[in-house]
Amino acid sequence: MKLSRRCFLSFGIGAAAGITLSPLPWKLTDDISIWTQMWPWTPVPPDGAYTYENTVCTLCPGGCGITVRKVDERAVQIAGMEEHPVNKGGTCILGNSGLQLLYGPFRVEAPMKRTGERGEGRWKRISWKEALSEVSSKLNQIRASGNPHQVAAVSGSKEGTVARLINRFMTVYGSPNFMTEPSIQDSYEAMLYLMQGATGSAGFDFENADYILSFGSGIIEGWGAPVRMFLANSNWRTKGTVVQVDSRLSNTAAKMDRWISIEPGTEAALAMGISHVIIKENLYNKGFIKEASEGFDQYKKLVLDAYSPARVSDVAGIDPSVIEEVARAFAASKHPIAICGRGKGDVPGNIHEFMAVHALNALVGNINSKGGVWTLPKNEYIRWPHPIMDKVASLGMQQERVDGAGSKDYPYVQSLLNRFPKKINEGSAYPIEALLVYNSNPLYSMPDTKAVQAAFDKIPFIVSFSSYMDETAKNADLILPNHTYLERYEDVPTPNGLQYPILSLAKPVVKPQLNTMHTGDVIIKLAKCMGNSISGAFGWKDYKGCLKQTLGSRWNQLYKKVYDVDSGFAPNKWVFETPSGKFEFVSSLVKNADENNIGIPHYYPTALEGDEKKYPLIMVPYGSMKRATGYVGSTPFMLKAVSDETLVKNDVLVQINPKTAQNLGLSQGESATLTTPVGEAQVKVNFNEGIRPGMIATPTGLGHTGYDEYMGNGKGVNANQVIGTVEDPLTGLNMAWGIRAKLTRS
Amino acid sequence: MDSELIPEGVQRCSLGKFLLWIGVVSVVLLWGVYGMILCWAKGLNQTNMNNAFGFALWIWADLAVIALGGGAFFTGFLRYIVGKKELKNIINYAVLIGFICYSSALLILAIDIGQPLRGWFIFWHANVHSMLTEVAFCLSCYFGVLTIEYLPLILENRQIDKIPFFHNLSHNMHEVMAVFAATGAFLSFFHQGSLGGVAGVLYGRPFGFREGVLIWPWTFFLFTWSAAACGPCFTILITKITEKVVGKKLVKDNVVELLAKISGWMLLTYITAKIIDTLYWAYVTAPKMGFTLDQFYTNNPGSAYGYWILIMEVIVGGVIPALILVTRKGRQTPLLLWIAVILACVGVSLNRWVMVLQVLAVPVLTFENWFTYFPSWQEIATTILPVAYGTILISLSYRYLPIFPQESELNPPPEELLSEAETVQKEAIEQDMASQDLTPAESAG
Amino acid sequence: MFPFSFEWTWDMSHYVFHGGLWYALSIIGLGMTYCIGKSAYDTITGKGGHHEDH
Amino acid sequence: MKEGQHDQHIKKYGMVIDLDKCTGCGACMVACMQENNIPFQKDETDKMLSITWLRVFKLDNGKPYPDTDICYLPRPCMHCSGIGEHGHSPCVSVCPATATDYSMETGIVSQIYTRCFGCRYCMAACPYHVRHFNWWDPVWPSGMERSLNPNVSVRMRGVVEKCNFCFQRYQIAKEKAFTEGRTEIEEHEYQPACVEACPANAITFGDLLNPKHKVYKLKQDPRAFRLLEKLHTNPKVYYLSSREWVREAGDNYIENEKVDVEPKKH
Amino acid sequence: MSASQEKAKEVSAKASDGGAGIVFIFFIVGLVVSLLVGWVLFPKVLYCQKEQPFDFNHALHNEMVLDGCQSCHFFRNDGTYSGAPKLNQCIECHTDVQGITKDEEIFVNEYVRNNREVPWLVYSRQPDCVFFSHAAHVLAGEMQCKTCHGHIGNSTSLPVYEYNIITGYSRNIWGHNISGIKKNTWDRMKMDDCAECHRENNVKQYSVQTKKGPCFVCHK
């Protein structure tokens, strides 16, 4: 076989030569090279025709116009709508990442019925028909027992047709218990009512203002209509002065022209102190005080007696000269505005602080005039005929609300959601048999989540309309998922803080991706399922028909242009609807206004929850644009943008002054236990020179337990777990800006 | 069993012991291979590298083994170009160590890059301005040269040598070895230099940047020089360790001394240049970029990059061994020689460490902090892998190839073992030896 | 590496760099070809060499 | 570039970021992620593993309460034109496989993902940390890949990526211009996603060589500074700040060095 | 003398007495076999065929339209190129079966009636990493369609679609000639073909690295 070996060798050489002379190795090299550059598991987004559709973002009450870029039927980007007067082309971080809320796997795919224990996460998909019959039979059953008032509804907002449809449903069903998520708007409304007799919301002509005195408002942290505030702030960098009063170096404090650091919770005292200087130095607007105000003398006396800069300086911990300086600058400006409502404005606040701050606007006469604080009428475009109520409904509606809002104890507010869990847990009101939750996530976003959970546990039937598997949906018995905001029609009323009325229309930019249904349609269908006495109030074919009819002649304009500004609106300068027809420094709408100055702007220290000895520190929650705190959670992209000074792996970092931390024997990055009278949380320590010694700041918007891991499940701690509520004595609204706390090494 | 393969005139331990030894080292090797496979299959998320430490332990290991493997090119240079005849007695081992170092470096690079299957783009789509391209080209070419230099040694195995073609091949390769060695020295000069240039050209990295009047990174020359100085030290060190392990003298003292002496002078001149470089850098280059030496060495977490590292590198790992090696007494005293070669190796490794890790750890943006990094077990395993692989290759080569020409001269075998043809007898003796209770040193030999 | 790769340009840096590379590769390649060729020739002609020179 | 090829169409795109206006809200970061198909992980808290082409840094003045001050600084790729503006930015010249390139036409530093094999030398070269490595395979939670932008290809594991001033938008704008019979594009037609999204209008983008573009004037603002000018990287991103300590934070200064960050007189 | 040397002698002895012929034949056989493998078998294995949903007559349609290729393969207003026509372009005429071909029947019955887009296999589809602007070439560069696409517009039926099993690319990218030799500009659509044309037409070469077109002009 020696020959064959040589032959074999020869064959091999021939073959090698042949292969080399053939395209095989060269082509193969090229193909393999391409193969290594185009891994088949790397997704390739399909291309197509690009279209751009305008709509309005409804992820927060900011009301920005957005342009959604589509590739064929896929939405691929959200940008600000250039022409929209609110945001003029800008978007916030949440709005920009909205597509993740459209396509995320944490959406509820279809109507779901709970099969396991509550919150366990075991569900059964049901049809819409089944879902509707489930709810209607349950509600009919409650109604048949004569207790329709034992059904409650929570809505994210009280404005807009969907919220109003729910409210209307509740009315004809026979329950007064329609509640909405609280915010500083409630306080502003109550304050405007007390001082100006107005039933409307507050608008601020920031575009024309030249001096802003902000008492802790997070101007660039989500307060008001966020993007509009960013734009206003950018203009102030060259054409205005902003003074931020804050007990910590918030982003706003850092970015504004001047930061005045005060003792936390003494904003009202400082406002009164500034008043003192303005009045004492005769810097106030005499015309306004003379012509348009009432009770000035009494207010003046109070201010001069009790709020001298020296005394305020003791309380607020600042130099008296600072008070004088700010007062003079404020009064000397052409269009100064004083604003309040802390941080993002999701906690209403102390009404007397609002009054004290607003009194400053009155002193300079900058109310309902250019560059000042305006009163906007209630959104009046929804003019539905009063529903006809049957006897059951009428009786039900005569029952007192479970949260006490509008009762003789709390006459100035329409909803007190903060009192709801308390009343249920106390068992002092009638029981709630069923709860409908729309555009709201109370189990996450309400203070003292433990108490809220306990209250919800007592409610036998909870229906969520959420598009997402949020905490409340997860704890519901039935989920009737709504379309997401990019899949549905919705009217968007004037955003918070805007000084002129504007109506926008959100339109579906993509087809519904899942088996969801517009909550408006669900309510109309539900009403139709429930018999004549209820369905009679819902004469519309569907939600779109309802909306079209409601908007009437404005529909076409809105459909084409997305927004419609009420150009005829102008504020009634110095005209007030109080009994005296004037701006009332001493509110005549408050009984015994003099008693403890209850009807007059004044300062009193907030009684924070907790014993000072046991809890030597003060904990304040703080928000950021980078973390969504409302109904929707932070998107994966937002969590990517969250700083490593806030979150490290799954641990939240609480901000603390290095000196305080060293006194407690804590070092940077160390694990610690944060304890408050309400709860306890495992945290890590972050040294932050921007925090006042003796205080801790805890980031909000973290620690979700619904959604999924990409949306921050298990990341950090929900700040609402460790903060409680403090009731404002006059309005009943929550005014807790902090809580006593201790931080111990763990 | 394998006596047919063992070179003539030398003694080796029993096959069983040898296999046991190989087996033990293989466990380490397999651990490294496992780490390597993890990195390839799951990606570089298996490491603790991050966007600040794009270069980390592996690149250090690469630079270090290449520097230590520099003994091959420099000894070759001395042997074939300069003509230091004595060095022929250590050149084989230098080549083997070089071969191990360079193949390890290439292997590590293959793990280190994000898309190993596209690694050849560095050749195909070469950017000639990149130091790394130069490194890759010279490194692989020089690896080729080392393979060529190592190949005749394999061919000299007793059984392979019997095949006339291989016998002739090894002979012919020896004939032209000077050409290969010269090419190797040329390539080595450039890639050692360009490895130095890797950090030296980074004008965004004040710690590493060292460009001078010639618009050429000075680190280029410092790296070549240091590799030439410390590579032979590593060769000596490994030779000494091998001698300790096998319990025999393998290379004559005069050979080692000659190499040590040349090394010492290289090291002395290198460290002088290095000190000048450091001073110029500290007083001229860095301040131009807004940095002081203090900023480079203080305020870092746990003082991982403190002044100690500079002192360790320059004084302890440079000046001291240089002084020991240049003095006759120093290199003739075994303990001092040991200390000197170890320190030199530590010094050059530290230098490479600094030029990889510290370059990246120093914050350049004023609002960033020092970056910290600790390798993951996968990185450590794959870095130890070459050590295990090298140990196995050395063991195999020592057992079956005539690596040390002076071994039989230095270790004359007992008379009765000289009748090499009688394999049966030899096997019997081996079994005999195995059955006796030998001392560890003997058994290892 | 080759003149037909996209990155190739006919300029000084390419001449120097690739010149060096191809020079080294040629020496390695030609050297090995010579050794193998000569060994094959030696084997066939039976003129084996000896290792005594190293 | 060869003789005779020089023409007036050469542009140098750059950015001016007004730090007085920037609120650190992060909208730019997210707009960038959405535009450029940037993947995300369950845990993105280790910023040295997280891919953010544009990252907002928080700077502080290091003083104790209440004299503390902070400033946000968004950092995209600086698109350095390098020493002598020859286009040899720190990263470009080091790439062994020519996967990153500098275009003299636009002044943009590009990254070609299919050419990159992940040696990360460019990352070591960049003092701004703008380059990011794909440590993981890019995986989108089920359904979320539907929002991927077809104009940008998704990067595979093991390659380096970075900001390219949304060059795809330049290409799209060019296509539109061609349809309309133009060869040049207007300033507003090519704006990166971050600029478009910024709710504070803090970022301005345009051709630094074109006197008609806003950035041309803004870069001469007395408040203007660039990051690490001493390294001669010649970045094309300018920052504006009226705060001296912020301008000072833009570069390293040795003790007693005369710091030239006073606002320049017009 | 060792055994191997003896063997070598034997072998050389064999070689000298007439074995060379057989050895040479073996060489030729090896050469021919591998040439056949490389030139004939390899392309067959490398490329797989896929059927288009149904056949299409370009020539027939070309006669009926006013604006040539761009009648159906048009530019959108934003300058992007529409590519293969969408169903709603076709149904302007094809609401019902008009012709007598089986293909039209398939088209109307399976796609028009069910409102399904036709999953055409695109011969000239470039991979995802490539950015190609038709507008830049056709509108600004005033190039002819056939420069890259050849005479497809005059074809009466669709050619067989072939794709590379390793890369997934259409065969038209590499071209039908397995050796990569091209006679016409439309025979191949590789990067080098783009580069060649750009160089010939003096397209601005602004790259600092390659002194050619910057990479990202064509890559994304």
Side-chain angles (χ1 to χ4, degrees), chain B residues 39-56 58-59 112-116 118-122 125-133 194 197-206 209 211 286-292 295 359-360 363-368 371, chain D residues 46-51 55 57-59 73 75 80-83 88-90 92-98 113-129 131-137 156-159 227-228 230-233 248-255 257:
Chain B
C39 291
W40 275 333
K42 294 190 173 180
L44 293 180
N45 52 60
Q46 297 293 303
T47 71
N48 278 351
M49 284 192 276
N50 59 33
N51 294 333
F53 282 100
F55 287 175
W58 285 337
I59 297 291
D112 184 70
I113 58 177
Q115 286 286 336
R118 301 217 291 263
W120 55 281
F121 283 14
I122 201 169
H125 303 291
N127 168 21
V128 297
H129 304 287
S130 172
M131 283 290 170
L132 217 55
T133 313
S194 38
V198 164
V201 295
L202 301 180
Y203 67 93
R205 294 287 181 183
F209 184 58
E211 258 173 24
K288 263 196 233 159
M289 302 168 128
F291 282 85
T292 57
Q295 262 168 290
V359 166
L360 301 176
V364 185
L365 287 170
T366 57
F367 41 87
E368 284 189 310
F371 296 95
Chain D
D46 186 341
K47 298 303 170 195
M48 279 298 125
L49 289 174
S50 176
I51 300 176
R55 181 178 168 194
F57 281 89
K58 186 175 139 190
L59 281 59
L73 184 138
R75 182 239 44 204
C80 306
S81 44
I83 298 170
H88 296 290
S89 57
V92 165
S93 48
V94 301
C95 175
T98 334
Y113 317 118
T114 44
R115 177 59 58 81
C116 172
F117 63 84
C119 76
R120 306 185 292 286
Y121 192 12
C122 54
M123 290 167 67
C126 175
Y128 305 102
H129 291 126
R131 288 178 164 270
H132 300 83
F133 186 72
N134 281 273
W135 300 100
W136 285 269
D137 272 313
M156 66 211 78
R157 177 180 98 194
V159 300
L227 293 179
L228 306 174
K230 284 182 171 184
L231 301 185
H232 303 292
T233 50
E248 225 178 284
D251 214 333
N252 293 285
Y253 298 95
I254 53 173
E255 224 179 321
E257 185 179 348

Side-chain angles (χ1 to χ4, degrees), chain B residues 20-91:
Chain B
L20 187 69
W21 162 245
I22 295 291
V24 169
V25 183
S26 295
V27 172
V28 182
L29 184 89
L30 286 173
W31 181 51
V33 170
Y34 177 59
M36 180 174 83
I37 288 167
L38 276 182
C39 291
W40 275 333
K42 294 190 173 180
L44 293 180
N45 52 60
Q46 297 293 303
T47 71
N48 278 351
M49 284 192 276
N50 59 33
N51 294 333
F53 282 100
F55 287 175
L57 182 73
W58 285 337
I59 297 291
W60 164 75
D62 252 45
L63 262 64
V65 293
I66 288 169
L68 298 171
F73 95 86
F74 194 61
T75 319
F77 173 78
L78 293 172
R79 158 78 180 84
Y80 294 105
I81 317 292
V82 181
K84 294 278 176 195
K85 282 262 173 192
E86 302 94 310
L87 293 180
K88 74 175 185 192
N89 294 315
I90 201 165
I91 184 79

Side-chain angles (χ1 to χ4, degrees), chain A residues 2 6-7 10-11 13-15 17-19 21-24 27-28 30-32 34-35 38 44 48-50 72, chain E residues 10-11 15 23 26-27 30-31 34-35 38-39 42 46-47 76 78 80 128-129 164 166-167 169 174 178 190:
Chain A
K2 278 158 198 157
R6 286 193 75 199
C7 292
S10 183
F11 179 84
I13 292 167
I19 289 293
L21 291 173
S22 83
L24 192 143
K27 177 83 175 97
L28 219 51
D30 190 65
D31 284 350
I32 289 168
I34 291 168
W35 173 69
M38 304 281 156
V44 175
Y50 308 145
D72 288 342
Chain E
E10 260 178 54
V11 169
V23 169
F26 268 91
F27 175 81
L31 187 75
S34 61
L35 282 176
W39 287 94
F42 171 62
L46 187 65
Y47 289 107
R76 301 190 192 101
D78 61 1
T80 54
D128 186 48
C129 66
N164 186 309
I166 298 171
T167 62
Y169 284 16
W174 175 268
I178 191 69
K190 295 271 293 173

Side-chain angles (χ1 to χ4, degrees), chain A residues 93 200 270 322 586 704 724 735:
Chain A
I93 184 167
L270 178 59
V322 174
V586 181
H704 273 283
M735 60 179 215

Side-chain angles (χ1 to χ4, degrees), chain D residues 81 109 140 142 144 158 166-169 211 216 218 222-223 253:
Chain D
S81 44
V109 176
W140 277 263
S142 132
M144 274 180 146
C166 290
F167 184 72
Q168 64 279 7
R169 291 182 170 220
Y216 186 84
L218 279 173
R223 297 175 294 151
Y253 298 95

